[in-house]
Amino acid sequence: MTAPQSPKPSESSVPQPLDTSVTTTDSPKQLLGVYFKGMAMGAADIVPGVSGGTIALIAGIYERLINALSSIGPHLWQIFRQEGGIKGLVAVWRQVDATFLLCLLLGIATSFLTLAGMIKHLLDNEPLLIWSFFFGLVVATVFILLSEIKRWNIGRAVLFIIGIVTAVTISSLPLLTTTPSLPYLFFAGAIAICAMILPGISGSFILLLMGAYDTVLEAVHTHNFTVIFTVMAGMATGLLLFTRALKWLLSRYYQATLALLTGFIAGSLVKVWPWKVDALGSLNSEAITNVMPWQYPTGAHWLSTVGLMLLGAILVSLLSWWGNRTNRA
């Protein structure tokens, strides 16, 4: 497989990998936009089955995020020592694109603190509606990203299929019902953040599979900082190890990697399918088995479900347009 020619930024709503040797200077308006995109990522990551990486990819900040995260490492100490003092700190800040990361993380944190309760309420009480919205969002994302793959070949088609199969397999795994210890939560955070960065594989769903999702969500509600900081430490560890490999793939095999990531997103449709029941065909907290709309116990609710799917598709299309416009600017 050879490294493909990447499309020009003006031809694609998905930006190409940035040159990390160039310092990016953002205006306050652009940083505010990054903050709101971070809020969108955070809202998506709360839902088990929807990835914040999907939002980052469609919003046009995915490669910049990967570049920034992969620049964090022991070499920053050498950069600091070369300059020393305030100048060294400024050099390190610029090297990791810290202003961008800070605005993004503030947006994600805002969503977790303000939307976690509301989304949990909707998942518990109106699952059909919220899953319909995210199903439409994910379907539109798949179509948008498929259009970004300029030249299909057998290798990229195989990678697309591998992505679908992987996401479907992960979505079909049985849930663990353990009482997580702090070391286990650290490990769960490290695994979940890797999934969270990958579009289509939900970090929150990985936490759900590992039996840690309710513990983490409850910790956010009750401000249990011991649990929160343990999970965050695990996430930071996993993030630093994972992003370098992903950056290497994006810089050398961009279109092939995009095909794989799009496959992940397409496969996640199994998880976000709106019509779900439990093993007995009833509706309760264990409703994870997909059924046809006409088999749903309370009816298909076509008007509300299709309407919310269209709303999700429209919003993600607007987000893609916004990302494309921002990149051109």
Side-chain angles (χ1 to χ4, degrees), residues 46 109-117 213-225 227-228 231-232:
I46 294 170
T110 300
S111 279
F112 272 77
L113 293 174
T114 60
L115 299 180
Y213 180 75
D214 288 338
T215 301
V216 173
L217 206 58
E218 183 66 24
V220 173
H221 287 321
T222 59
H223 303 97
N224 185 338
F225 292 107
V227 171
I228 292 172
V231 174
M232 288 179 63

Side-chain angles (χ1 to χ4, degrees), residues 100-153:
F100 163 79
L101 287 178
L102 178 61
C103 290
L104 194 68
L105 289 174
L106 286 174
I108 293 172
T110 300
S111 279
F112 272 77
L113 293 174
T114 60
L115 299 180
M118 182 185 72
I119 291 178
K120 187 176 187 299
H121 173 79
L122 290 173
L123 286 171
D124 292 338
N125 298 283
E126 299 290 347
L128 182 61
L129 300 184
I130 194 166
W131 287 125
S132 295
F133 172 78
F134 281 107
F135 186 83
L137 184 150
V138 174
V139 168
T141 298
V142 171
F143 279 104
I144 291 171
L145 294 180
L146 284 175
S147 69
E148 303 298 338
I149 302 174
K150 303 303 180 183
R151 294 172 299 168
W152 282 95
N153 55 35

Side-chain angles (χ1 to χ4, degrees), residues 261-273:
L261 297 180
T262 306
F264 286 148
I265 298 171
S268 72
L269 288 170
V270 172
K271 177 59 185 172
V272 296
W273 179 254

Side-chain angles (χ1 to χ4, degrees), residues 64-317:
R64 184 175 180 183
L65 174 61
I66 296 301
N67 281 332
L69 293 174
S70 63
S71 67
I72 300 173
H75 68 283
L76 294 178
W77 175 246
Q78 295 178 350
I79 295 175
F80 173 75
R81 290 186 63 185
Q82 287 176 359
E83 299 289 342
I86 299 299
K87 288 185 177 180
L89 292 175
V90 171
V92 170
W93 185 272
R94 290 176 176 173
Q95 176 68 22
V96 300
D97 203 0
T99 303
F100 163 79
L101 287 178
L102 178 61
C103 290
L104 194 68
L105 289 174
L106 286 174
I108 293 172
T110 300
S111 279
F112 272 77
L113 293 174
T114 60
L115 299 180
M118 182 185 72
I119 291 178
K120 187 176 187 299
H121 173 79
L122 290 173
L123 286 171
D124 292 338
N125 298 283
E126 299 290 347
L128 182 61
L129 300 184
I130 194 166
W131 287 125
S132 295
F133 172 78
F134 281 107
F135 186 83
L137 184 150
V138 174
V139 168
T141 298
V142 171
F143 279 104
I144 291 171
L145 294 180
L146 284 175
S147 69
E148 303 298 338
I149 302 174
K150 303 303 180 183
R151 294 172 299 168
W152 282 95
N153 55 35
I154 294 177
R156 291 172 192 171
V158 169
L159 286 170
F160 177 69
I161 294 171
I162 290 174
I164 293 177
V165 172
T166 301
V168 170
T169 301
I170 291 174
S171 298
S172 304
L173 292 174
L175 305 181
L176 296 179
T177 55
T178 60
T179 301
S181 62
L182 289 181
Y184 184 84
L185 287 171
F186 179 91
F187 176 72
I191 300 298
I193 195 63
C194 296
M196 200 173 292
I197 288 295
L198 280 176
I201 300 181
S202 167
S204 53
F205 181 60
I206 296 297
L207 289 176
L208 193 64
L209 285 177
M210 299 182 71
Y213 180 75
D214 288 338
T215 301
V216 173
L217 206 58
E218 183 66 24
V220 173
H221 287 321
T222 59
H223 303 97
N224 185 338
F225 292 107
T226 300
V227 171
I228 292 172
F229 288 145
T230 299
V231 174
M232 288 179 63
M235 288 182 169
T237 303
L239 202 61
L240 295 179
L241 296 175
F242 177 71
T243 50
R244 282 177 169 77
L246 191 54
K247 178 184 178 181
W248 183 87
L249 289 171
L250 286 169
S251 63
R252 287 166 174 78
Y253 307 107
Y254 181 79
Q255 292 275 302
T257 305
L258 184 60
L260 179 65
L261 297 180
T262 306
F264 286 148
I265 298 171
S268 72
L269 288 170
V270 172
K271 177 59 185 172
V272 296
W273 179 254
W275 295 277
K276 302 176 186 295
V277 297
D278 64 10
L280 300 177
S282 305
L283 295 176
N284 55 36
S285 60
E286 303 298 323
I288 58 173
T289 303
N290 294 338
V291 296
M292 291 294 101
W294 51 86
Q295 296 174 322
Y296 198 66
T298 61
H301 300 277
W302 290 114
L303 185 61
S304 56
T305 54
V306 174
L308 285 167
M309 287 178 190
L310 290 174
L311 177 62
I314 290 170
L315 288 179
V316 82
S317 299

Side-chain angles (χ1 to χ4, degrees), residues 9 15-22 24 60-68 97 100 247 250-251 327:
Q16 304 311 301
L18 297 175
D19 181 358
T20 54
S21 63
V22 179
T24 303
I61 58 173
Y62 190 71
E63 282 76 22
R64 184 175 180 183
L65 174 61
I66 296 301
N67 281 332
D97 203 0
F100 163 79
K247 178 184 178 181
L250 286 169
S251 63
N327 291 328

